[in-house]
Amino acid sequence: MKALVWQGVNRVGIETVPDPEILQPTDAIIKVTSTAICGSDLHLLDGYVPSMVHGDILGHEFMGEVVEVGSEVKNIKVGDRVVVPFPISCGHCWYCQQGLTSLCDNSNPNFKLAETMWGYSPAGIYGYSHITGGYAGGQAQYARTVFADSNLFKVPDHLTDDQVLFLTDILPTGYMAAENCNITPGDTVAVFGAGPVGQFTIRSAFLLGAEQVIAIDRFPERLDMARQAGAITLNYEKEDVFEKLKMLTGGRGPDSVVDAVGMEAHGTGLMGVADAVKQTTRVLETERPHALRAAIMACRKGGTVSVAGVYGGLGDKIPLGSLMNKALTMHTGQTHVHRYLDRLLKHIENGDIDPSVIITHRMPLDEAPQAYKLFKHKHENCIKCVLDPWA
Ligand code: NAD
Ligand code: ZN
């Protein structure tokens, strides 16, 4: 089959690789009908996530048709149309039972590597390095999925791929980022980053009752899209964001601030990483503003900072004094996708949210290397690119 593989820092390509096979009786093979490129894939492209190997298949946002199931799979049948949550949940460990599925204790076969490098083990994630399990991703014609009964989520035929694909990751991620703001009536939520995650955070914040949402980015087309959802927008290259945020909130600052940027932030400063991490993680050194730093500084006293943006290694120059002395609450984490699926599917079916609005580019899988370039550099007003493995 054809697949998009990692070939080194800033290099991805299409290669012909063996078709995936059932390895465990709880597995299922999916014929991928749609797959997308995520901001998190850019961290792999940029080389910020350790333990990538030439030939690793990327992609954790994918859906399709089940074409084969293992002997112990009970709830999923050949022919089912499913979306695949990016974190892998075994369904029965302590974390999965609490609904904290991105912290699953059983889905990362490389937990020893993770514990050696990071001191803890995250859940398995498709297409996201060996430290999160070494699972092949879904930017391919077929994908092997594991713990099929507790992971694959059936979607109704009357919804298109475009409407349900983002249930795999960024729609629940935006929703969890907003939920983590503990929004109460009258609240103002500021969202740093108006990429796909930021767009869904804005829409979710309104769904959860925010009165005012303020989006901050530098790309006009992303700010336009945020305005279409009802947000007030600020271009951080053209205006004083801190002053404007104060002006819009009676001098106090937003009640909650979301970092929907993460470590490829324009101006991010990640430095001082420990030696173990340094060997495999590239280090960025810059003094320019950092989205997380800005989120902490901008939030009102007693407010909430919600970090959806992905970080790795150690970050420096985080204003811990402000975090503590302003009595801020911080929430973060990879998204517990599974716990939001029923709720978000209902919102899609009711028309409360149309996830397809963020798609700006559709390309055959063959053109995925070009799609990565467009999405990384935000060329051609690219906001979200969906790939068709069979075009
Ligand atoms: P993206 O690259 O399309 O969007 C990031 C946006 O941030 C861009 O529009 C960029 O212009 C803007 N930006 C950069 N620096 C900024 C700054 N200093 N201030 C304000 N805006 C700034 O990516 P995306 O797909 O929207 O993903 C965003 C982040 O969310 C990434 O870090 C990604 O890894 C993370 N993510 C997290 C989860 C999770 O489970 N927590 C899931 C998916 C994605
Ligand atoms: Zn993602």
Side-chain angles (χ1 to χ4, degrees), residues 38-41 60-61 86 169-170:
C38 177
S40 300
D41 292 320
H60 58 267
E61 299 184 358
F86 80 87
D169 178 350
I170 52 171

Side-chain angles (χ1 to χ4, degrees), residues 182-265:
N182 299 322
I183 295 166
T184 55
D187 271 9
T188 293
V189 179
V191 181
F192 280 85
V197 170
Q199 297 294 338
F200 288 141
T201 306
I202 294 163
R203 286 156 177 79
S204 302
F206 281 124
L207 275 178
L208 291 168
E211 186 169 310
Q212 180 171 246
V213 179
I214 306 166
I216 301 124
D217 206 299
R218 69 190 167 114
F219 291 104
E221 64 280 7
R222 290 173 177 232
L223 294 172
D224 284 348
M225 191 176 272
R227 272 193 299 277
Q228 280 158 27
I232 297 168
T233 59
L234 301 176
N235 184 328
Y236 69 85
E237 284 191 328
K238 297 201 171 134
E239 40 207 333
D240 185 331
V241 170
F242 293 100
E243 278 309 307
K244 283 277 167 68
L245 286 175
K246 283 208 159 143
M247 265 174 53
L248 290 162
T249 53
R252 272 199 305 273
D255 301 290
S256 48
V257 185
V258 177
D259 169 353
V261 179
M263 66 181 152
E264 83 267 16

Side-chain angles (χ1 to χ4, degrees), residues 37-54:
I37 306 174
C38 177
S40 300
D41 292 320
L42 298 179
H43 305 322
L44 302 173
L45 184 71
D46 288 335
Y48 300 154
V49 181
S51 77
M52 290 298 294
V53 175
H54 184 128

